[in-house]
Amino acid sequence: MSDATEDAGRPGDGTRAVRAGLPDPVKHEPTLPGPVFAAHFHLPGEVTGPYAYGRDDNPTWTLLEGAIGELEAPGRDGVETLVFASGMAAISSVLFSQLRAGDTVVLPSDGYQVLPLVRAQLEAYGIEVRTAPTAGDAQLDALDGAKLLWIETPSNPGLDVCDIRRLAEAAHARGALVAVDNTLATPLGQRPLELGADFSVASGTKQLTGHGDVLLGYVAGRDPEAMAAVRRWRKIVGAISGPMEAWLAHRSIATLQLRVDRQDATALTVARALRDRPEVAGLRYPGLPDDPSHKVAAQQMRRYGSVVSFTLPTRARAERFLEALRLVEDATSFGGVRSTAERRGRWGGDPVPEGFIRLSVGAEDPEDLVADLLRALDESAP
């Protein structure tokens, strides 16, 4: 696992997560102020100061954006973070604020299953879309003439990994911007901005907040002009987080390191347990030393995530397996404290086999979770 030397002398991940974005202490004030519910603010005279109207800015967002920025780019000045109503709102803000008719964008062909819908909309606006798989840094071959490279690593749901630094250097040499979807890794797993990306984008709905009760997205970026365009897009579209969601997210970040360490360690234990099952094929977890992505992942990731994927022989077997589980909920999304799994092919947007399972490992006791999975495999056998 990558051990970034730039962290020398800085607070550890747990300390940073617990204290990220907190305001300076004021006697008799809460350490984390409650959510500010306001559509407008007192604004006599000239328009000065940070808060004027609730679609533009909010003090609760400001604290959360500061917290996320401290995790995505600790100790670095000049990084701006903006929060959004959802991960897709954040993704859309980068794509549609940076691209215009006649531009070319490179997307992963094996990324999040909503990306085909995004592609159709981009093409409707006269933007050329090229795609290539994540594995093997295949997007390198599609970069010539591109305005933006979109990377998703590890990819969802296949868990392939690409070399962010290598792709970013190649894209920048051709004049392209680089955005990395950091949802699955979280800022405690990898820091795309430190690896050369211009944007780190994520769905905070997943492991960042970790409780399955908040929809949230964010964009962190290094370039002031590019981030000004993202901010302008948020203002135009109004894809803003509610103050309650922003406050819940900030509160949840305090336990991020605790959750990530527990869930990621258990995910590795689960992957090892599933590796020996004859009915399990295509097992993927970047933390396994023999995983096809492990070598690259170990160079740039500090933690390997909470998602394990594998394929059972048939759709029927996969459905019986999911029905037999007792500790794992049949639900979409990932990164929560309660384990979830689903037959990913039911959505129709991912190029995966009918028996493909995406398992999101929660914070249950590892031995209990492993026992439940192995029992469900036994009970679901023909």
Side-chain angles (χ1 to χ4, degrees):
M1 209 176 293
S2 177
D3 234 353
T5 56
E6 63 267 20
D7 281 343
R10 295 183 191 166
D13 286 341
T15 302
R16 189 181 296 119
V18 166
R19 305 204 61 83
L22 296 181
D24 292 334
V26 176
K27 189 174 182 178
H28 305 308
E29 293 293 325
T31 54
L32 177 62
V36 175
F37 299 99
H40 57 265
F41 301 81
H42 289 294
L43 197 66
E46 294 297 321
V47 180
T48 59
Y51 306 113
Y53 187 62
R55 191 182 69 251
D56 298 335
D57 251 318
N58 175 286
T60 310
W61 302 352
T62 300
L63 294 177
L64 174 60
E65 289 167 346
I68 295 172
E70 288 177 35
L71 298 179
E72 283 281 354
R76 297 199 173 218
D77 296 328
V79 171
E80 182 178 3
T81 304
L82 298 171
V83 295
F84 290 81
S86 68
M88 279 309 305
I91 289 170
S92 299
S93 75
V94 174
L95 292 170
F96 292 105
S97 70
Q98 305 302 313
L99 298 168
R100 62 186 64 187
D103 286 341
T104 298
V105 61
V106 179
L107 302 179
S109 58
D110 53 345
Y112 180 47
Q113 56 103 359
V114 179
L115 287 182
L117 297 178
V118 173
R119 174 178 185 164
Q121 191 63 56
L122 289 167
E123 290 176 336
Y125 289 158
I127 297 164
E128 179 186 351
V129 179
R130 301 174 189 160
T131 62
T134 299
D137 299 341
Q139 290 174 300
L140 284 171
D141 295 332
L143 286 177
D144 285 348
K147 174 71 178 297
L148 176 67
L149 167 64
W150 190 274
I151 296 170
E152 186 178 300
T153 181
S155 62
N156 173 30
L159 303 183
D160 279 318
V161 172
C162 61
D163 187 331
I164 296 173
R165 193 182 299 278
R166 181 186 182 204
L167 285 164
E169 289 175 354
H172 290 155
R174 292 165 172 81
L177 294 169
V178 178
V180 176
D181 187 326
N182 203 34
T183 301
L184 200 145
T186 82
L188 299 194
Q190 69 187 6
R191 299 181 191 140
L193 299 180
E194 294 181 355
L195 295 168
D198 300 289
F199 304 98
S200 182
V201 187
S203 169
T205 308
K206 312 301 193 296
Q207 199 171 20
L208 186 82
T209 56
H211 291 79
D213 54 8
V214 171
L215 286 173
L216 190 88
Y218 69 85
V219 179
R222 303 185 299 166
D223 182 84
E225 184 177 347
M227 287 303 294
V230 174
R231 180 182 286 274
R232 186 166 57 250
W233 182 264
R234 184 177 71 173
K235 178 182 177 73
I236 293 168
V237 176
I240 58 173
S241 170
M244 190 66 198
E245 287 81 359
W247 184 86
L248 284 168
H250 198 168
R251 178 213 59 179
S252 298
I253 284 174
T255 62
L256 179 61
Q257 185 254 357
L258 298 172
R259 291 184 283 106
V260 164
D261 281 354
R262 172 62 173 259
Q263 291 171 252
D264 293 13
T266 304
L268 180 58
T269 299
V270 165
R272 286 170 174 159
L274 294 175
R275 186 166 48 184
D276 299 327
R277 294 291 302 212
E279 66 271 72
V280 170
L283 176 69
R284 296 300 303 273
Y285 182 67
L288 285 171
D290 58 350
D291 186 271
S293 292
H294 181 73
K295 182 178 179 181
V296 175
Q299 294 171 357
Q300 65 190 21
M301 297 186 74
R302 301 152 58 86
R303 295 169 175 87
Y304 297 112
S306 63
V307 177
V308 177
S309 68
F310 57 95
T311 300
L312 294 177
T314 64
R315 170 176 176 169
R317 178 70 188 276
E319 290 173 345
R320 290 198 304 270
F321 165 73
L322 293 170
E323 188 175 353
L325 291 167
R326 296 171 186 165
L327 295 180
V328 182
E329 301 168 358
D330 192 340
T332 195
S333 195
F334 57 85
V337 292
R338 290 173 291 278
S339 293
T340 61
E342 68 173 337
R343 191 183 66 80
R344 192 63 188 163
R346 66 182 175 174
W347 297 98
D350 294 307
V352 295
E354 285 292 320
F356 182 93
I357 300 291
R358 185 182 69 183
L359 169 65
S360 172
V361 175
E364 298 88 357
D365 288 323
E367 56 272 19
D368 293 337
L369 188 57
V370 168
D372 190 45
L373 291 164
L374 297 183
R375 179 196 49 76
L377 285 174
D378 291 338
E379 291 184 6
S380 63

